Amino acid sequence: MAANVSGNDRNARLSRKQEAALAALAVVGSTKEAAERVGVAESTVRRWFASEPFREAYRQQSRELNGEALDDLRMAQKEAVRVLRAGLSAESPATQVRAASRLLEVGLKIRDDDIEARLADLERRAEP
């Protein structure tokens, strides 16, 4: 059964082949390989990209995949900080220094990013 596609044309529907192409694009990343997996010509996949419903479905899929990747990265960051904190207690003074240095670098980067975001917000508010 074809799925509804959000976007400008809410009544638009994708065919099963188009849905399969989207799924394949998420895995292989190239129109040629996606077309081969679905059993259509590469030119067909390119033609589908010319339609707004297909492009919007592809963009939505990309946003979802990027969100999942960011969630994974956030979880890995927490683990990385735990590893660095454990490095502060390592037997080797060199390891302790590297861990402390890296933690300080990351902390300063986070602070700088926060300051830049707040400054940009103030500048936007000050614009006439």
Side-chain angles (χ1 to χ4, degrees), residues 9-111:
D9 185 2
R10 295 201 179 271
N11 294 325
R13 292 189 158 306
L14 297 182
S15 70
R16 287 186 179 146
K17 289 269 189 182
Q18 287 173 318
E19 289 177 358
L22 287 172
L25 284 164
V27 175
V28 297
S30 80
T31 55
K32 181 179 180 180
E33 290 179 84
E36 289 172 1
R37 285 187 177 213
V38 176
V40 297
E42 182 182 5
S43 60
T44 300
V45 175
R46 280 195 240 115
R47 188 176 64 252
W48 289 340
F49 267 111
S51 75
E52 182 57 31
F54 189 84
R55 271 196 319 271
E56 178 55 31
Y58 179 76
R59 284 191 295 264
Q60 178 63 33
Q61 174 178 279
S62 295
R63 284 189 293 270
E64 290 169 4
L65 291 173
N66 287 340
E68 291 172 12
L70 286 174
D71 289 344
D72 289 347
L73 183 57
R74 284 185 194 105
M75 288 189 292
Q77 285 175 332
K78 290 178 183 179
E79 186 177 338
V81 169
R82 280 194 292 276
V83 168
L84 286 172
R85 289 186 71 180
L88 296 173
S89 304
E91 288 185 29
S92 164
T95 300
Q96 292 174 359
V97 169
R98 282 193 303 273
S101 175
R102 190 64 189 129
L103 281 168
L104 290 171
E105 287 173 19
V106 170
L108 291 173
K109 173 77 170 114
I110 291 169
R111 185 201 65 188

